[in-house]
């Protein structure tokens, strides 16, 4: 077990990444975690907890942790861990994280991340936006110190930094897809169905190699390839990768996360899957909008629901599935919007089963983000994999991930796009996504993560 994985906030995308690395590294790693509750306390105190709980071992060569952990504290408290090659992974950064009120920003959280970067050997970000928004904010952030400010921290940290996109393991969702979404794949890249399996026929050059690589990944557990660029690149040609990468969901991927705060809002999926998979029946249905995000202020649910209620006021037909996880404090807008939207709601609440979650996305037409904060956006990428038409703010990380036609600049633009889609849902159902998700797959990025976690010879080990 040469790799020590530490996650101080073991939930959401943080958990997803650690589980994936643990699955791939198998017996060559040990995972130490804290539950995804009370984030602020974890950021402040996790190092002391891990000082006492991480087992001592002479086999460790690499320490891989997310930026929630104060790595500087842990390295000082555990000199044996401080000697390792230390890799710090940023899912988000506190220098660019939105707060509801300016005075609420706690200097310590951003300061901890800067300290962690200074002691890390490699600093990895899940997007170029995440990296640049952090590095270019250091100088301004440090000016909050009243006097005797440290200098040139960006110049010290930047050489350690690189972008390595969040690796998504795309499942085979073919069994959940309506006929028109399956037909898109068959028509454009020559994939023919054989029951739930797919055969590749006549794929041109690069697309064929991608599809073969992803099929190989589905049948070989390791699936670590260097065939796709993952550093500083986003490819916007061809189709997304749904169904060409039939990596199967195993039972462990059916998340056990539940939240009692959301239980009273849960309702069963009101659509009938056998009916919705019927092409003729599906094409007659109203536009189905999905919102698969955390129920927190930084995802700006107020703007999303304001747009939907305006559609409702104009008597435009649509259905909505509000997915995503909630925590202790749920913004009031959710209960208010659920009541106001009434029969337009198909599903309301977190789906702990991954199968149920992907099923809900597969039968949706459009996936919306109204986020004020996003450094990658796993949920949006997964929704596109499920055949949804994405609409995202023309800001944050989204221009790095999605082509321009899927971006909007104002809530008014979002409303107009949805207004048009409500009147003509066939537009999105006939649409072929013009970006690509393959570059964000584990098949593309796994080899880079394996290289990142390779031990370098050290005389002091």
């Amino acid at each position: 077990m040469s790799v020590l994985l530490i996650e101080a906030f073991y939930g959401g995308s943080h958990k997803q990444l650690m589980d994936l690395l643990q699955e791939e590294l198998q017996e060559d790693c040990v995972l130490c975690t804290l539950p995804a509750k009370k984030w602020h306390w974890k950021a402040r105190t996790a190092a002391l907890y891990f000082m006492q709980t991480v087992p001592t071992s002479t086999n460790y060569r690499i320490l891989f942790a997310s930026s929630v952990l104060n790595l500087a504290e842990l390295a000082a408290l555990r000199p044996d861990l401080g000697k390792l090659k230390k890799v710090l992974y940023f899912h988000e950064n506190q220098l660019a994280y939105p707060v509801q009120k300016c005075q609420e920003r706690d200097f310590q959280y951003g300061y901890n991340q800067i300290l962690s970067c200074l002691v890390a050997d490699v600093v990895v970000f899940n997007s170029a936006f995440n990296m640049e928004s952090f590095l270019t904010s250091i100088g301004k952030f440090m000016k909050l110190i009243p006097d005797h400010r440290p200098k040139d921290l960006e110049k010290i940290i930047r050489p350690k930094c690189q972008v390595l996109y969040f690796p998504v393991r795309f499942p085979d969702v073919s069994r959940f897809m309506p006929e028109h979404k399956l037909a898109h794949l068959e028509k454009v890249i020559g994939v023919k169905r054989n029951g739930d399996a797919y055969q590749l026929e006549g794929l041109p050059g690069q697309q064929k190699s991608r599809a073969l690589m992803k099929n190989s990944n589905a049948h070989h557990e390791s699936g670590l390839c260097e065939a796709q660029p993952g550093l500083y690149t986003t490819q916007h040609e061809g189709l997304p990768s749904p169904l060409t990468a039939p990596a199967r969901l195993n039972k462990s991927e059916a998340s056990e996360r539940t939240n009692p705060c959301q239980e009273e809002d849960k309702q069963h999926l009101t659509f009938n899957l056998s009916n919705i998979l019927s092409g003729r029946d599906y094409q007659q249905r109203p536009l189905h909008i999905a919102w698969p995000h955390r129920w927190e202020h930084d995802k700006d649910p107020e703007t999303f629901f304001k747009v939907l209620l305006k559609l409702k006021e104009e008597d435009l037909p649509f259905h909505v599935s509000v997915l995503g996880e909630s925590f202790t404090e749920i913004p009031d807008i959710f209960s208010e919007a659920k009541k106001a939207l009434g029969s337009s709601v198909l599903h309301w609440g977190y789906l702990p089963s991954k199968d149920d979650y992907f099923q809900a996305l597969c039968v949706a037409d459009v996936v919306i983000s109204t986020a004020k904060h996003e450094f990658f956006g796993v949920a949006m990428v997964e929704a596109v994999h499920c055949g949804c038409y994405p609409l995202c703010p023309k800001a944050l990380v989204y221009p790095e991930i999605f082509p321009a036609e899927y971006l909007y600049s104002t809530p008014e633009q979002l409303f107009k796009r949805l207004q048009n889609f409500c009147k003509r849902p066939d537009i999105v159902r006939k649409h072929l996504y013009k970006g690509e998700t393959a570059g964000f797959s584990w098949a593309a990025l796994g080899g880079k993560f394996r290289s990142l976690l390779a031990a370098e010879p050290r005389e002091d080990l």
Side-chain angles (χ1 to χ4, degrees):
M1 52 180 187
S2 65
V3 180
L4 173 60
L5 304 173
I6 297 181
E7 180 51 68
F9 195 78
Y10 187 57
S13 61
H14 293 234
K15 180 180 186 299
Q16 196 171 334
L17 178 58
M18 288 300 185
D19 287 351
L20 181 54
L21 293 177
Q22 185 181 38
E23 180 183 342
E24 292 297 328
L25 296 170
Q26 297 183 5
E27 296 180 359
D28 194 35
C29 73
V30 59
L31 173 62
C32 300
T33 68
L34 279 168
K37 297 178 181 178
K38 300 188 182 298
W39 176 90
H40 300 86
W41 282 104
K42 299 299 189 299
R44 286 189 175 112
T45 66
L48 190 57
Y49 172 82
F50 288 123
M51 177 199 77
Q52 297 183 330
T53 57
V54 171
T56 302
S57 174
T58 57
N59 294 323
Y60 299 147
R61 293 294 182 270
I62 311 289
L63 191 164
F64 181 94
S66 79
S67 60
V68 176
L69 174 70
N70 187 327
L71 187 57
E73 288 182 348
L74 183 62
L77 293 167
R78 284 284 299 269
D80 59 318
L81 303 182
K83 295 178 181 179
L84 306 178
K85 175 185 174 182
K86 298 173 290 299
V87 180
L88 187 69
Y89 193 88
F90 275 74
H91 293 268
E92 59 278 315
N93 78 75
Q94 292 304 308
L95 304 193
Y97 199 93
V99 292
Q100 289 174 296
K101 297 179 182 178
C102 185
Q103 61 265 32
E104 288 184 4
R105 184 178 297 280
D106 190 320
F107 180 83
Q108 194 66 38
Y109 301 129
Y111 184 68
N112 286 354
Q113 290 189 326
I114 293 171
L115 291 181
S116 293
C117 289
L118 290 170
V119 301
D121 297 294
V122 184
V123 182
V124 185
F125 294 83
N126 61 356
S127 67
F129 167 74
N130 192 2
M131 183 178 75
E132 290 301 324
S133 65
F134 178 78
L135 292 173
T136 58
S137 297
I138 292 175
K140 181 180 178 180
F141 182 79
M142 297 307 288
K143 288 181 180 179
L144 295 172
I145 301 174
D147 53 30
H148 296 87
R149 303 181 186 108
K151 299 177 181 179
D152 300 325
L153 296 181
E154 179 186 347
K155 291 181 181 179
I156 297 171
I157 294 171
R158 184 176 284 275
K160 303 179 180 185
C161 297
Q162 61 178 271
V163 173
L164 187 51
Y165 289 119
F166 184 95
V168 182
R169 175 160 281 172
F170 293 115
D172 177 5
V173 292
S174 59
R175 63 195 183 280
F176 303 137
M177 279 197 163
E179 286 295 321
H180 73 279
K181 290 189 178 182
L182 297 177
H184 286 174
L185 200 66
E186 294 173 9
K187 178 180 179 181
V188 176
I189 63 173
V191 176
K192 291 191 175 183
R193 278 176 291 158
N194 179 14
D196 283 337
Y198 282 76
Q199 296 177 344
L200 306 171
E201 292 189 359
L203 291 180
Q206 193 177 19
Q207 283 183 332
K208 186 171 184 178
S209 66
R210 284 197 190 103
L212 289 172
M213 176 187 68
K214 286 178 278 184
N215 273 313
S216 174
N217 181 54
H219 292 93
H220 300 281
E221 287 299 317
S222 62
L224 294 171
C225 308
E226 283 284 340
Q228 286 289 327
L231 296 175
Y232 299 98
T233 62
T234 305
Q235 296 177 328
H236 286 158
E237 79 276 0
L239 279 180
S241 58
L243 314 184
T244 60
R248 301 183 183 277
L249 282 173
N250 57 44
K251 293 182 180 179
S252 67
E253 287 178 291
S255 173
E256 297 177 355
R257 293 171 295 171
T258 57
N259 192 319
C261 299
Q262 222 170 15
E263 286 297 327
E264 63 184 59
D265 282 334
K266 279 188 180 179
Q267 62 187 46
H268 294 293
L269 297 177
T270 57
F271 48 79
N272 184 301
L273 184 59
S274 61
N275 289 337
I276 212 161
L277 291 178
S278 164
R280 182 179 62 182
D281 179 62
Y282 190 86
Q283 294 296 343
Q284 296 171 354
R285 291 174 178 269
L287 184 76
H288 184 176
I289 300 167
W291 194 82
H293 310 287
R294 284 184 289 104
W295 293 19
E296 293 186 306
H297 79 92
D298 60 296
K299 300 303 181 184
D300 197 6
E302 290 81 6
T303 293
F304 174 70
F305 290 125
K306 184 177 180 180
V307 169
L308 289 197
L309 292 174
K310 190 174 180 181
L311 295 173
K312 188 95 172 167
E313 288 172 4
E314 297 199 3
D315 293 324
L316 292 166
F318 67 90
H319 288 151
V320 62
S321 291
V322 178
L323 311 171
E325 193 171 6
S326 70
F327 298 93
T328 305
E329 296 182 9
I330 299 177
D332 294 338
I333 187 64
F334 283 93
S335 58
E336 297 166 3
K338 183 183 179 184
K339 182 177 180 181
L341 290 169
S343 60
S344 295
V345 175
L346 278 185
H347 179 77
W348 196 271
Y350 177 64
L351 290 168
S353 162
K354 274 290 189 181
D355 273 4
D356 290 344
Y357 175 70
F358 284 118
Q359 176 179 316
L361 291 178
C362 282
V363 296
D365 299 305
V366 180
V367 61
I368 306 293
S369 171
T370 46
K372 295 184 289 187
H373 142 259
E374 195 59 80
F375 296 106
F376 181 75
V378 177
M380 293 298 291
V381 173
E382 288 178 336
V384 170
H385 171 70
C386 292
C388 293
Y389 186 107
L391 286 173
C392 318
K394 191 177 181 180
L396 308 170
V397 72
Y398 293 118
E400 187 178 342
I401 305 295
F402 298 102
E405 72 175 272
Y406 305 107
L407 308 177
Y408 64 87
S409 298
T410 65
E412 290 72 27
Q413 287 184 5
L414 174 60
F415 169 76
K416 288 179 181 178
R417 297 288 296 276
L418 289 176
Q419 182 184 46
N420 188 35
F421 292 160
C422 286
K423 294 176 180 177
R424 291 282 310 280
D426 60 298
I427 293 175
V428 292
R429 291 170 187 163
K430 292 177 181 177
H431 178 79
L432 301 176
Y433 179 65
K434 296 177 182 177
E436 179 169 328
T437 59
F440 310 118
S441 69
W442 175 253
L445 299 170
K448 293 180 173 62
F449 274 91
R450 179 60 64 87
S451 297
L452 186 69
L453 298 176
E456 297 175 355
R458 294 275 297 274
E459 294 181 0
D460 55 348
L461 288 179

